[in-house]
Amino acid sequence: MKNTAPIALFVYNRPKETEGLIKSLKNNKLAMESPLFIFSDAPKSEEQMKEVSETRSIIKKISGFKSIKITESDENKGLARSIIEGVTQVINEYGKIIVLEDDLILADDFLEYMNEALDTYEDNSSIWSVTGYGPPIDIDPDYKNDVYLSYRGCSWGWGTWKDRWSKHEWDLSDYDNFSKDSLSVNNLKNGGDDLLKMLELQAIGKMDSWAIRSCYSQSKYKMYTVYPVKSKLQNIGFGKNSTHCTSTSTKYKTEINKKKVVFTNDLVINDKIIYNFKKYYDLDLIGKIGYFLKRHDLYQYFKWTKNYLRK
């Protein structure tokens, strides 16, 4: 294994979830060899001050890593700006990165998995990023590898390299040309048709997401993300304090795989996996209605209905 990748952890107003993440992260034997950078955003309103303060108290007590640097913002940047600025800072120094948010529970070998993935695919120019999250989709029974390729990036426990990160086009300056190019649009939708709808919301100022802009850039360069067949993490961040995942749906819940993953550099797209992956992320009727209402500034009236129907 090469030098251990630094970890960038982004926290906000979820002290309980942050404690759970830190506990699972410290259970990784590579924690002691990993530099940890923690970015804490400031509260957006007075209602969030208490929970932000509690979260900051927790991160100040953290130990068990090679080094720890905490950055507490004096202004509310929002998740998108926090991620873009924080990742850029760390990746420019180290050349690679593992990125976590405060709503994840990790496998005991998550850091081994991520570091080996970053080492294995660093020189593979077709790979945009790697992730520890594996959505609970049906896998082709004839597929023998522990990891697979997807057209879609993942924002839950992921990693990448400086040369890929520098390819991002955060301002969507060529969105108009993209939207008129059916081949480009269909390539983005290979990762799920929800990506196109989120990108439209981002382009018209109805959403502020670093992740959809990252998926857009990845699609533009026709690159892939490496996913595990069985997930190396759980996301427990669904609910009222989540930035984007406010639904209480169990759709994205996974079991954590405790077995070692074997990587191969001979990965190719598996059509059966891609079909099931796309179907998993394609918008259902409720999602389509939610997109329409959000686009027309009516989404706040729909939230309670969506959460009720998805319970």
Side-chain angles (χ1 to χ4, degrees):
M1 187 176 291
K2 301 177 184 179
N3 291 333
T4 308
I7 304 164
L9 168 59
F10 295 85
V11 302
Y12 184 40
N13 65 337
R14 295 187 282 195
K16 181 179 179 181
E17 287 84 352
T18 298
E19 278 191 314
L21 169 64
I22 294 299
K23 181 179 179 180
S24 69
L25 185 57
K26 288 181 68 172
N27 285 339
N28 279 254
K29 69 179 183 180
L30 286 184
M32 291 286 290
E33 302 175 33
S34 304
L36 176 62
F37 294 82
I38 306 176
F39 297 89
S40 170
D41 201 7
K44 189 175 183 179
S45 65
E46 288 188 10
E47 294 177 347
Q48 298 169 334
M49 290 181 64
K50 181 176 182 293
E51 290 174 322
V52 169
S53 178
E54 289 176 2
T55 302
R56 289 183 170 181
S57 294
I58 289 169
I59 62 177
K60 289 173 183 176
K61 299 174 184 177
I62 293 175
S63 61
F65 296 87
K66 183 178 181 180
S67 61
I68 301 172
K69 181 178 180 180
I70 298 173
T71 301
E72 296 182 351
S73 177
D74 294 328
E75 60 173 319
N76 180 262
K77 296 180 177 181
L79 182 60
R81 181 181 163 196
S82 295
I83 292 280
I84 294 169
E85 292 183 358
V87 170
T88 300
Q89 173 190 322
V90 176
I91 209 168
N92 281 347
E93 179 179 353
Y94 287 86
K96 58 183 177 180
I97 196 169
I98 296 169
V99 185
L100 301 171
E101 294 179 32
D102 56 9
D103 53 4
L104 306 174
I105 299 296
L106 312 173
D108 289 350
D109 66 344
F110 171 81
L111 290 179
E112 292 178 71
Y113 165 87
M114 290 297 295
N115 276 280
E116 190 170 351
L118 287 169
D119 289 348
T120 301
Y121 302 109
E122 180 175 9
D123 298 323
N124 188 329
S125 60
S126 70
I127 305 301
W128 181 259
S129 61
V130 298
T131 179
Y133 178 71
I137 62 172
D138 291 331
I139 300 295
D140 179 358
D142 295 325
Y143 191 74
K144 304 304 181 185
N145 293 322
D146 291 342
V147 293
Y148 62 89
L149 298 177
S150 170
Y151 295 98
R152 181 190 188 111
C154 183
S155 60
W156 299 345
W158 57 280
T160 192
W161 308 266
K162 181 179 178 180
D163 60 343
R164 276 72 148 188
W165 186 252
S166 65
K167 292 179 181 290
H168 281 89
E169 300 176 18
W170 302 112
D171 61 1
L172 302 185
S173 59
D174 59 349
Y175 173 76
D176 288 341
N177 291 331
F178 159 82
S179 63
K180 299 171 185 175
D181 184 342
S182 60
L183 289 178
S184 296
V185 168
N186 287 332
N187 189 59
L188 178 67
K189 290 167 66 177
N190 280 333
D193 63 16
D194 64 324
L195 292 176
L196 181 61
K197 299 304 183 184
M198 287 190 286
L199 184 63
E200 290 174 355
L201 292 174
Q202 179 71 41
I204 62 176
K206 300 293 178 68
M207 174 179 279
D208 184 23
S209 167
W210 72 270
I212 186 55
R213 286 179 280 171
S214 181
C215 287
Y216 171 66
S217 297
Q218 173 176 345
S219 178
K220 184 174 181 178
Y221 285 97
K222 295 179 171 60
M223 296 172 72
Y224 308 109
T225 292
V226 176
Y227 281 76
V229 168
K230 296 182 179 180
S231 189
K232 283 293 181 183
L233 62 86
Q234 289 179 338
N235 187 311
I236 59 171
F238 296 88
K240 65 177 182 178
N241 285 338
S242 175
T243 301
H244 296 296
C245 301
T246 55
S247 170
T248 56
S249 172
T250 60
K251 174 180 177 178
Y252 302 103
K253 290 186 178 179
T254 56
E255 297 294 326
I256 294 179
N257 176 28
K258 298 181 180 180
K259 295 182 179 179
K260 179 175 175 56
V261 168
V262 177
F263 293 95
T264 175
N265 225 328
D266 299 324
L267 293 175
V268 295
I269 285 290
N270 180 284
D271 291 337
K272 292 181 180 178
I273 294 177
I274 288 299
Y275 174 81
N276 290 329
F277 188 99
K278 181 182 185 305
K279 184 171 67 173
Y280 180 76
Y281 283 102
D282 280 349
L283 288 174
D284 58 14
L285 178 59
I286 294 175
K288 290 176 181 177
I289 294 172
Y291 156 75
F292 175 83
L293 294 175
K294 191 165 187 175
R295 198 180 198 286
H296 296 280
D297 296 323
L298 299 170
Y299 189 69
Q300 63 270 27
Y301 303 111
F302 183 68
K303 277 186 178 180
W304 69 269
T305 305
K306 183 185 73 166
N307 290 339
Y308 176 77
L309 291 175
R310 282 182 167 165
K311 284 183 180 178

